[in-house]
Amino acid sequence: MIMICNVALILIAAGVAADNLVLAFVSGNDMAVFKLARMENPKSTIPPPHWLLILGLFFIIQNMVLFYGEWFGLFTIGVLKGEQQLIAIGLLFSMSIRMLQELKTKNSTAKQVLLSTRQFLEIGLGTSIYVFAFGCALNWLNLDHRVVILALLSLIILFLIAGTLLGKYHFKKTFKYLNTIAAFLVMTGSILLIIELLKNNIK
């Protein structure tokens, strides 16, 4: 059971981490546009955008949000009166549904060259909420989740780099494909957890 649950959690972690593709893709796209503008006008005094710095700070924020999610999950276990596993799985499954609903909006972002500050903050906040919820669910499931946390943080870095490269070289189809897979990874992991919980209760 534990191994299947860990596999399911890593699938969900991959889906949550891939939610960072949107901001990374737009940042990479912006870098490419800025480079082209500089080639056309070398004397331009417009400073380069600090997207890499912003994405680095964004990773640090998500790391902190994950910690707070874990702390909140640990703090509230006693309040849930033994139903924490069921609530955790329900939370993760609802995340997958929400991510599927957001697919159209995320994929349309590939057509934009720049995001406004408000759009950037909205997308960043949405992704951080998923990370927070995932941190809560890890503690509510009452499993040894150190490997899952390391996997999540590693995958966040991977998808930030991958998204930036996809945006820089305008791989829009690959970006949309990965976005779609990410949402289904969260749903697949949630369904695996539901099956394992049902099997465990039947026994």
Side-chain angles (χ1 to χ4, degrees), residues 27-155:
S27 69
N29 199 10
D30 189 23
M31 290 177 196
V33 171
F34 179 82
K35 184 179 179 180
L36 183 62
R38 270 290 170 88
M39 288 174 65
E40 293 178 351
N41 185 12
K43 296 181 180 180
S44 174
T45 56
I46 300 175
H50 300 288
W51 281 108
L52 291 178
L53 176 62
I54 292 171
L55 291 177
L57 290 172
F58 188 58
F59 169 75
I60 294 170
I61 290 169
Q62 287 199 340
N63 199 346
M64 292 174 62
V65 168
L66 176 63
F67 169 78
Y68 289 131
E70 283 193 277
W71 175 83
F72 183 80
L74 185 63
F75 182 74
T76 54
I77 283 179
V79 181
L80 301 178
K81 300 178 180 178
E83 299 296 328
Q84 62 265 25
Q85 285 191 335
L86 187 61
I87 294 171
I89 293 172
L91 177 63
L92 294 172
F93 187 74
S94 64
M95 277 171 47
S96 68
I97 294 173
R98 182 62 183 167
M99 289 176 78
L100 285 171
Q101 291 174 338
E102 292 174 348
L103 264 181
K104 185 176 180 181
T105 305
K106 290 176 183 175
N107 287 340
S108 66
T109 306
K111 299 176 183 177
Q112 300 181 43
V113 177
L114 299 172
L115 286 179
S116 67
T117 304
R118 179 180 174 182
Q119 286 174 311
F120 186 92
L121 291 175
E122 284 176 352
I123 295 171
L125 180 61
T127 305
S128 296
I129 289 172
Y130 290 144
V131 174
F132 180 85
F134 186 70
C136 290
L138 286 178
N139 261 317
W140 290 342
L141 288 168
N142 195 27
L143 296 168
D144 183 5
H145 49 260
R146 286 171 292 183
V147 174
V148 179
I149 291 173
L150 288 173
L152 175 63
L153 295 177
S154 302
L155 286 165

